[in-house]
Amino acid sequence: MSLVDIRLLTIALVSVLGLVALIVAKPKLHPLLALLLVSIAVGLATGMPLDKVASAISGGAGKTLGAVGLVVALGAMLGKLLAESGVTTAVSDAIVSRSSYRALPWAMAGVAFVIGIPMFFEVGLVVLLPLIFGVARKLETGKVGRGSAYVYVSVPVIAALAAMHGMVPPHPGPLTAIATLKTSVGATMIYGFIAAVPAIILAGPIYGTFIAPRMQARPDEAMIHQYVPESEGLPAPADRAPADSSAPPGVGVGVLCALLPALLMLAHAIAEIVLDKTSPVLHVTAFLGNPIVAMLLGLIFAMVMLRSGEPEAVRKALSQSVKPISNVLLIIAGGGAFQQVLTDAHVGDAIVHMSHQLALSPLLLGWLISMLLSVSTGSATVGIVGAAGLLAPLATSGETVNMPLLALSIGCGSLFFNYANHAGFWLVKESFGMSMGEATRTISVVQSIVSVVGLLMVFALNLMPPLG
């Protein structure tokens, strides 16, 4: 490495530490403001002209938000539609009603796996709380099993939702990494599904069965009655019934609505592998499998098939769905600005040189950077955009790196040890009436298991021929 590389790496390290300090210490800035301030500081410290700094910030924010923002917004709309129409409850009841006590954690993981494809972690958990509380109340009143029924039922859900959120597009984290690294959505999705399965199994049904008898966590009665009528031990109905309550959507239709965008993207990924690049079919699947097109078609299909109700009610529901994600979109935009400044300042080139010098695997480096940023800032999105931005030059460095696996590795790193500075930690803690220690033994440990198993799967998949 040259002296210039050392100087750029020093600036990068200081910028990351400064970003963490601005977010977690006084003045505790919003991540968007912190990212913009750090971006300007990096540009000035590396000697970029002032006009170049401004154009890099605006261009990077716009480019990243354009690639990710529409998909995230459409995904939020689809998730809202599934919940409002009663599909989530119908799918959940169909799976859980056929399960024995020992099979319940596996069934709950399966429900969350399907529901978690289009939904954020926090949104998916809130949507599934009626099912979790209803099933746990049924076990509790029947005195089935030992320890906390709520932990027994919820841990598999937490594991599945976390794995899908960090590993599989069209979730914003993996999608942001894909856009920044300029890699394939389809290949990353296939890798993500493969890596998610063992992570969910170990962190969900297996760990949940182990930890539940050792815990007594239980929500307060007011919280339980909010989701489960006192006279019932079954899942509470959705807050809103379908427009035609006499003919609710079938389970098969609901599952298809939830999975259609993923199926379209997977079809493109398979077509890339098996078809010639000049094939007309490949061009069609490339269009239909584009994340924006796939999510749009999935949303329209759901609106038609689920009989979503009066147009005005549907419009209001879709408008409400995008409000909770505005904060995530702003952070993604700020991350895009930070990434573009780092790229234009050639900081990423210095990281490439360092990885050559230290013989450090880029896959491990991406996981470590994402993990450290996520743990310290309390934002998985910050971890992903920071790590992807720093490692983006690897895509054009000539080094042999499986970029879809690098995107997956970065997503896995962002999941590690979700603790008190993460919103999801408090959602789990307060929803299930847990102490800090109990919450740490559930969501923090669960997500750490998912993160580490995901990294191990990345290394295992890297031994195989790359997709595409």
Side-chain angles (χ1 to χ4, degrees), residues 273-299:
I273 297 172
V274 303
L275 297 178
D276 186 83
K277 293 187 182 296
T278 59
S279 170
V281 177
L282 178 59
H283 293 298
V284 173
T285 58
F287 173 74
L288 297 177
N290 178 282
I292 295 175
V293 176
M295 291 303 303
L296 179 60
L297 291 176
L299 178 60

Side-chain angles (χ1 to χ4, degrees), residues 136-155:
R137 178 63 175 266
K138 185 177 181 181
L139 295 178
E140 189 178 51
T141 54
K143 297 183 179 180
V144 180
R146 296 183 296 113
S148 172
Y150 294 88
V151 173
Y152 185 72
V153 174
S154 65
V155 163

Side-chain angles (χ1 to χ4, degrees), residues 146-437:
R146 296 183 296 113
S148 172
Y150 294 88
V151 173
Y152 185 72
V153 174
S154 65
V155 163
V157 172
I158 294 170
L161 291 176
M164 303 308 289
H165 188 82
M167 298 184 188
V168 180
H171 285 280
L175 207 61
T176 302
I178 290 166
T180 304
L181 299 173
K182 297 181 175 61
T183 188
S184 166
V185 174
T188 308
M189 175 175 281
I190 292 174
Y191 283 137
F193 277 126
I194 295 172
V197 171
I200 292 171
I201 290 173
L202 288 173
I206 292 178
Y207 179 70
T209 302
F210 168 78
I211 195 68
R214 295 163 174 79
M215 296 182 64
Q216 301 298 324
R218 186 180 189 276
D220 60 44
E221 288 296 330
M223 178 68 77
I224 295 174
H225 293 159
Q226 178 179 340
Y227 292 107
V228 186
E230 190 170 1
S231 60
E232 298 182 16
L234 297 172
D239 290 339
R240 299 186 186 182
D244 181 5
S245 58
S246 63
V251 173
V253 173
V255 171
L256 181 58
C257 291
L259 296 182
L260 183 59
L263 293 175
L264 291 174
M265 286 185 269
L266 282 174
H268 175 220
I270 295 172
E272 282 185 313
I273 297 172
V274 303
L275 297 178
D276 186 83
K277 293 187 182 296
T278 59
S279 170
V281 177
L282 178 59
H283 293 298
V284 173
T285 58
F287 173 74
L288 297 177
N290 178 282
I292 295 175
V293 176
M295 291 303 303
L296 179 60
L297 291 176
L299 178 60
I300 294 173
F301 180 79
M303 292 174 67
V304 173
M305 298 303 294
L306 300 181
R307 302 178 297 280
S308 306
E310 294 298 324
E312 181 64 20
V314 174
R315 186 188 67 80
K316 287 183 178 180
L318 298 184
S319 297
Q320 293 171 356
S321 70
V322 297
K323 293 178 182 178
I325 66 170
S326 59
N327 191 55
V328 174
L329 294 177
L330 289 174
I331 297 174
I332 289 173
F338 184 44
Q339 178 264 326
Q340 192 63 51
V341 171
L342 291 171
T343 299
D344 291 354
H346 303 290
V347 172
D349 295 336
I351 291 177
V352 172
H353 299 158
M354 180 190 71
S355 67
H356 289 163
Q357 189 84 19
L358 300 178
L360 188 64
S361 167
L363 301 177
L364 178 59
L365 187 62
W367 186 90
L368 285 172
I369 295 173
S370 179
M371 180 271 289
L372 291 172
L373 281 173
S374 177
V375 170
S376 56
T377 64
S379 170
T381 305
V382 171
I384 288 174
V385 297
L390 288 168
L391 297 179
L394 288 172
T396 57
S397 67
E399 183 174 349
T400 304
V401 180
N402 188 320
M403 300 308 288
L405 283 180
L406 179 58
L408 177 58
S409 175
I410 289 171
C412 291
S414 72
L415 296 173
F416 189 84
F417 204 70
N418 183 315
Y419 192 56
N421 55 351
H422 286 71
F425 177 91
W426 294 103
L427 176 61
V428 171
K429 178 185 181 300
E430 297 303 319
S431 295
F432 297 102
M434 296 178 176
S435 66
M436 289 294 290

